[in-house]
Amino acid sequence: MRQILFAGAIGLFLTLIGTPLLIKLLARKGYGQFIRDDGPRTHGSKKGTPTMGGISFILATLIAYALAKVITGEDPTYSGVLVLFLMAGMGLVGFLDDYIKIVKQRSLGLRAKAKMAGQLIVGIAFAVLSLQFADLRGLTPASERLSFITDFGWSIGPVLFVVWALFMILAMSNGVNLTDGLDGLATGASVMVFGAYTFIGLWQFQESCANAMTLTNPNACFEVRDPLDLAVVASALMGACFGFLWWNTSPAKIFMGDTGSLALGGALAGLAICSRTELLLALLGGLFVMITMSVVIQVGSFKMTGKRVFRMAPLQHHFELKGWSEVLVVVRFWIIQGMCVIVGLGLFYAGWASEK
């Protein structure tokens, strides 16, 4: 429990004090946001705002996790380190994309094939390694079975698992990336989901099958390799994003860029895979799914009928063009995300309680 508190507090402190330093550094180098000409007109004032702010909470999360381990004297676990690796690796791909955008002064950074190749390399490395490092009970960080609240069904095998893991990683990374269109929207939504995974990891630790002798019902337990450490990682991410939100909320002093959005998406997918809550993530991160689907619907409708369903996609821009202020869109979308988290946690608890 102390690890969770230390990780969250340190992550919050580091981004609160570190982000303004990063803002000054990026502004001095002229690393400002490039704004698309076809976007909402109100976004023109955002041009030149420092970007690549994801560097702030990525470093804060890594440092917070390490310091929490040093302070408490606990050892890192394979599950925790793998999720951090996925976050940092995806963040590196996003950083290269952001850097090219800034240097070339264009809305597109890495070529599509290069960006996809980078994501695939990081994702495959995570998926393959997550099936290694079995503990004394034979549990690896990830499972070859699909999961909702716990694992279910038959093993899909290592090859299909890698494909499934890649789908989750790419879907969540692109989902967060599409959501990151308004000041604080993606950051605030991510804080809520990381908060949920902090609770899930702590609950799984308390009701772990490793403690079956002390449980009231040994059948209602969780087979997760390192649930407490996953809670530590989630807490560090929650605290770091909370501190970053102070500077990222409207009017934003800094944007996370692809550096941040790809990292957050990777972290969310990694936490879901290692905590055996893969399908539950679609509900916990419901806002990201909703916004991604708006783009799929818009593109599909235009290709098939030549007509657009929304005034503009992603969905948040549709409401901007309808006359909603940016702050109004963000707050209402945060409310939707909060409801998704509440329902998701309710199902998580109900699934456990039904086995008691």
Side-chain angles (χ1 to χ4, degrees):
M1 187 64 177
R2 289 192 306 150
Q3 296 181 69
I4 296 174
L5 294 175
F6 281 130
I10 294 171
L12 173 63
F13 175 76
L14 289 176
T15 47
L16 277 176
I17 66 169
T19 304
L21 300 177
L22 180 62
I23 292 172
K24 292 179 181 178
L25 175 63
L26 294 173
R28 189 181 306 124
K29 290 183 173 294
Y31 291 174
Q33 178 70 28
F34 184 90
I35 303 298
R36 292 166 49 190
D37 294 330
D38 58 346
R41 294 181 180 179
T42 55
H43 288 202
S45 61
K46 299 175 185 285
K47 185 175 182 180
T49 302
T51 187
M52 296 195 293
I55 295 172
S56 173
F57 56 74
I58 291 173
L59 292 178
T61 299
L62 295 174
I63 295 171
Y65 177 82
L67 288 180
K69 293 298 178 182
V70 172
I71 294 171
T72 60
E74 300 290 339
D75 294 327
T77 66
Y78 286 112
S79 298
V81 171
L82 281 171
V83 173
L84 293 175
F85 161 77
L86 181 58
M87 174 196 72
M90 295 298 287
L92 177 60
V93 176
F95 172 81
L96 294 174
D97 191 44
D98 284 333
Y99 185 78
I100 293 174
K101 289 178 186 176
I102 293 168
V103 172
K104 301 292 186 181
Q105 283 295 294
R106 65 190 192 193
S107 59
L108 295 176
L110 284 172
R111 300 293 181 186
K113 290 183 179 179
K115 189 174 182 179
M116 178 62 71
Q119 291 176 301
L120 289 176
I121 291 171
V122 175
I124 291 173
F126 167 82
V128 172
L129 290 174
S130 66
L131 293 178
Q132 313 304 316
F133 313 115
D135 63 7
L136 295 177
R137 293 183 296 146
L139 292 176
T140 53
S143 168
E144 293 180 7
R145 296 165 63 189
L146 298 179
S147 60
F148 180 54
I149 295 171
T150 57
D151 286 341
F152 66 85
W154 296 278
S155 169
I156 61 176
V159 175
L160 285 180
F161 167 77
V162 171
V163 174
W164 169 241
L166 281 175
F167 171 77
M168 286 192 62
I169 293 166
L170 294 175
M172 285 311 302
S173 297
N174 289 316
V176 178
N177 184 254
L178 291 171
T179 305
D180 183 36
L182 301 181
D183 295 355
L185 179 58
T187 309
S190 297
V191 166
M192 298 181 204
V193 187
F194 289 132
Y197 271 109
T198 302
F199 170 81
I200 288 172
L202 182 59
W203 191 263
Q204 289 178 332
F205 173 71
Q206 293 176 340
E207 301 295 329
S208 172
C209 294
N211 305 324
M213 296 298 293
T214 61
L215 299 179
T216 55
N217 183 1
N219 294 321
C221 63
F222 297 98
E223 287 282 11
V224 178
R225 191 191 190 284
D226 306 299
L228 184 60
D229 211 37
L230 294 176
V232 174
V233 172
S235 179
L237 279 160
M238 178 179 63
C241 287
F242 228 137
F244 181 76
L245 183 60
W246 182 272
W247 306 102
N248 182 233
T249 194
S250 184
K253 301 294 188 295
I254 188 170
F255 300 138
M256 69 170 69
D258 281 15
T259 305
S261 59
L262 295 188
L264 292 181
L268 288 170
L271 286 169
I273 291 169
C274 291
S275 65
R276 314 291 205 269
T277 56
E278 295 159 359
L279 297 179
L280 184 64
L281 178 60
L283 184 53
L284 291 173
L287 180 65
F288 303 127
V289 175
M290 180 179 73
I291 288 176
T292 302
M293 289 307 300
S294 73
V295 175
V296 174
I297 292 170
Q298 184 85 326
V299 173
S301 174
F302 187 76
K303 286 186 175 181
M304 289 188 293
T305 67
K307 297 181 179 179
R308 293 179 172 85
V309 177
F310 307 105
R311 294 188 180 185
M312 185 177 181
L315 188 60
Q316 62 269 31
H317 299 318
H318 167 78
F319 289 102
E320 278 192 291
L321 294 180
K322 286 190 67 175
W324 291 20
S325 69
E326 180 174 0
V327 173
L328 181 61
V329 176
V330 170
V331 171
R332 287 181 173 174
F333 275 38
W334 279 351
I335 292 172
I336 293 172
Q337 176 56 44
M339 293 170 62
C340 290
V341 166
I342 291 171
V343 173
L345 287 178
L347 286 176
F348 174 80
Y349 181 79
W352 170 82
S354 66
E355 297 295 331
K356 289 185 68 66

